[in-house]
Amino acid sequence: MGNGAKAQQKRERNQKDGKVAKSQLKTNVKAMDIQCGICKSTFLKTTRAPQLEEHAQNKHSKPMKECFPSYEVPAAK
């Protein structure tokens, strides 16, 4: 049995399982809920304060609170 037959068998097995690869793109777009008030750039909700501070300083030369007025530091677990 050659490698081509093995690959075909694997494709058939995977097709029986009904598993379909799912894209993460739509989920990532929904998770972009932190928005800069000045340039309207969006950031993932998992973005930490140092990254937002860096954006505010490098892009706008303003404090983070001015760019992200609604951002709250998440509570530690």
Side-chain angles (χ1 to χ4, degrees), residues 34-46:
I34 299 174
Q35 187 177 41
C36 176
I38 297 169
C39 67
K40 305 300 182 197
S41 293
T42 55
F43 298 86
L44 286 172
K45 65 175 77 178
T46 58

Side-chain angles (χ1 to χ4, degrees), residues 24-34 43-45:
Q24 193 71 25
L25 294 175
K26 290 180 183 176
T27 306
N28 288 349
V29 169
K30 290 178 186 176
M32 301 279 264
D33 65 347
I34 299 174
F43 298 86
L44 286 172
K45 65 175 77 178

Side-chain angles (χ1 to χ4, degrees), residues 22-74:
K22 295 181 182 174
S23 176
Q24 193 71 25
L25 294 175
K26 290 180 183 176
T27 306
N28 288 349
V29 169
K30 290 178 186 176
M32 301 279 264
D33 65 347
I34 299 174
Q35 187 177 41
C36 176
I38 297 169
C39 67
K40 305 300 182 197
S41 293
T42 55
F43 298 86
L44 286 172
K45 65 175 77 178
T46 58
T47 304
R48 304 278 186 232
Q51 292 171 315
L52 299 176
E53 184 79 43
E54 182 179 329
H55 169 83
Q57 288 297 318
N58 292 342
K59 298 287 184 182
H60 309 298
S61 299
K62 297 186 180 199
M64 188 179 96
K65 282 292 180 190
E66 206 169 309
C67 291
F68 304 99
S70 62
Y71 180 77
E72 295 177 13
V73 178

